[in-house]
Amino acid sequence: MPSSPAVPNPRAADDRPALVLANLGTPAEPSPTAVRFFLREFLSDRRVIEMHPLLWRPVLEGVILRVRPRASAAKYATIWRPGQVGRSGSPLMHYSERQGELLQHELGESVQVRIAMRYGQPSLRRVMGDLMDAGRRRIAVIPLYPQYAASASGTVIDEVARFILASRNQPELRTIRSFEASPAYIEALATALEQHWKIHGRPDPAAGEHLLLSFHSIPQAMHDAGDPYRTECERTVELLTRRLDLPDGLARLTFQSVFGPAAWIGPATIDTVGELGSAGCPRLDVICPGFFSDCLETLEEINQLNRETFTTAGGGSFHYIPWGNDSEGAIATLAEQARNVLAGWI
């Protein structure tokens, strides 16, 4: 009697590794309901808000989620990609998907590249679960934050750990902590600036022109508790300044996206922009090295709000300079990190 054909085991091991690119996330659409859902998950993370839930929850549910979603939805609407609906209209999602596609092409079929979001969809735990169900037993995760902060890279690794804790059959796991001094990353930033300056010329500090390197801020209390984030931002600025041979006084390190009444590390980008505008700065170039994909914080906060603040205060020309997204430099940076974390697997 002929034997029955073998039935494939969907949980059988697959020797090919998987690589997950993990970004922050995005609302499903620029509506108050979608933004409220997104903010609830984001602001409920105790790495993001280091306050006991019994104290924080009434503020979150009773004040913030009643007021902020409508205003934030209006801001998201100004950057949503024209003609696109749902998450595909989000610049962060669009560029994350492009990064996954281009990195997959760069690395070849010996590894499966997936994107995941820490908040919203596709969720990090869902993506890792799907990979395990597909038989992947070697999974590497790269948080898309060049500088380590507990409230950014740290919360990605937390979520990975929660997945591991809940798994009976655990994968072999690798992660990247940060890459603030990565040669490919510094080169990507430098190339973006050089390409812009090839067209517009370098800003001249003797003429009162400036370059701002604006990073997302963190609360001062997190810094005081030992978070290395500011140090890693300063390291990036130091290496980039050296790579570009910038004269003293041209580049300034600032911090953006302050939220709530607590003290945050500074100087604040918005304050610096206003001061330079009031002083009659004839030209201001701004690059955001900590954001791997354009998003609300770069497209609305920097290129709209800070631009308006600068020019209204009396400043001259304002240039926001993208560097990441689907640029060659961004993909080269990801490929460098991927080959590091996948060494010995491919």
Side-chain angles (χ1 to χ4, degrees):
M1 183 175 180
S3 60
S4 300
V7 177
N9 180 1
R11 298 184 182 277
D14 187 327
D15 288 338
R16 295 174 299 166
L19 176 66
V20 180
L21 305 178
N23 212 326
L24 176 77
T26 177
E29 59 184 18
S31 70
T33 299
V35 171
R36 184 177 296 107
F37 184 86
F38 176 75
L39 287 179
R40 178 176 284 113
E41 183 182 9
F42 174 49
L43 296 177
S44 295
D45 190 332
R46 293 192 66 182
R47 284 282 199 185
V48 176
I49 304 294
E50 294 184 343
M51 185 184 297
H52 195 284
L54 290 178
L55 299 175
W56 173 242
R57 182 67 62 180
V59 177
L60 177 61
E61 297 291 344
V63 181
I64 294 173
L65 294 181
R66 291 176 181 268
V67 176
R68 193 171 180 187
R70 186 170 298 278
S72 294
K75 294 177 181 180
Y76 274 108
T78 68
I79 68 164
W80 223 249
R81 299 175 62 237
Q84 301 294 320
V85 297
R87 290 186 181 85
S88 61
S90 162
L92 183 143
M93 181 61 71
H94 168 74
Y95 286 119
S96 295
E97 290 174 342
R98 286 286 295 149
Q99 288 161 5
E101 293 167 359
L102 292 170
L103 185 59
Q104 182 72 76
H105 178 75
E106 177 73 18
L107 297 177
E109 295 305 316
S110 61
V111 58
Q112 181 181 4
V113 178
R114 294 284 302 274
I115 66 163
M117 300 293 149
R118 174 60 188 88
Y119 313 103
Q121 298 298 328
S123 73
L124 182 55
R125 276 202 266 184
R126 189 189 104 192
V127 169
M128 293 186 69
D130 289 346
L131 289 170
M132 288 293 291
D133 287 344
R136 303 291 172 143
R137 295 296 176 264
R138 290 176 169 178
I139 301 176
V141 179
I142 300 180
L144 293 180
Y145 305 101
Q147 295 76 27
Y148 175 89
S151 54
S153 304
T155 190
V156 170
I157 305 307
D158 283 351
E159 191 71 353
V160 171
R162 280 188 282 268
F163 175 84
I164 293 293
L165 285 170
S167 300
R168 178 170 296 279
N169 184 9
Q170 296 176 335
E172 185 177 354
L173 180 69
R174 295 179 180 177
T175 64
I176 291 286
R177 178 189 179 280
S178 60
F179 48 96
E180 82 286 356
S182 150
Y185 168 58
I186 298 300
E187 191 62 28
L189 294 170
T191 298
L193 288 167
E194 287 176 333
Q195 289 176 345
H196 180 80
W197 291 343
K198 186 175 182 180
I199 299 171
H200 300 280
R202 282 198 177 204
D204 182 2
E209 299 173 344
H210 292 277
L211 166 68
L212 292 191
L213 296 102
S214 180
F215 295 79
H216 200 295
S217 189
I218 63 170
Q220 183 68 39
M222 292 184 180
H223 173 75
D224 293 343
D227 200 299
Y229 176 69
R230 183 182 190 115
T231 300
E232 296 199 4
C233 293
E234 291 170 347
R235 179 64 172 154
T236 296
V237 172
E238 175 192 357
L239 291 173
L240 181 60
T241 300
R242 188 186 308 166
R243 160 63 179 79
L244 292 169
D245 193 23
L246 298 181
D248 292 342
L250 176 61
R252 294 192 185 188
L253 166 64
T254 62
F255 295 92
Q256 65 181 86
S257 309
V258 171
F259 169 75
W264 291 62
I265 62 172
T269 300
I270 191 73
D271 293 343
T272 304
V273 164
E275 291 164 3
L276 289 173
S278 297
C281 174
R283 170 182 168 182
L284 182 61
D285 289 0
V286 183
I287 191 169
C288 299
F291 295 90
F292 218 91
S293 298
D294 271 325
C295 55
L296 188 71
E297 286 80 1
T298 61
L299 298 177
E300 191 278 332
E301 183 179 354
I302 295 297
N303 205 29
Q304 295 181 33
L305 176 61
N306 279 266
R307 175 189 296 276
E308 181 181 1
T309 299
F310 179 70
T311 55
T312 300
S317 60
F318 182 100
H319 303 270
Y320 166 61
I321 304 169
W323 71 272
N325 298 331
D326 54 0
S327 68
E328 289 185 9
I331 305 308
T333 300
L334 290 177
E336 178 187 69
Q337 295 308 306
R339 292 188 173 102
N340 288 342
V341 78
L342 294 169
W345 283 0
I346 60 172

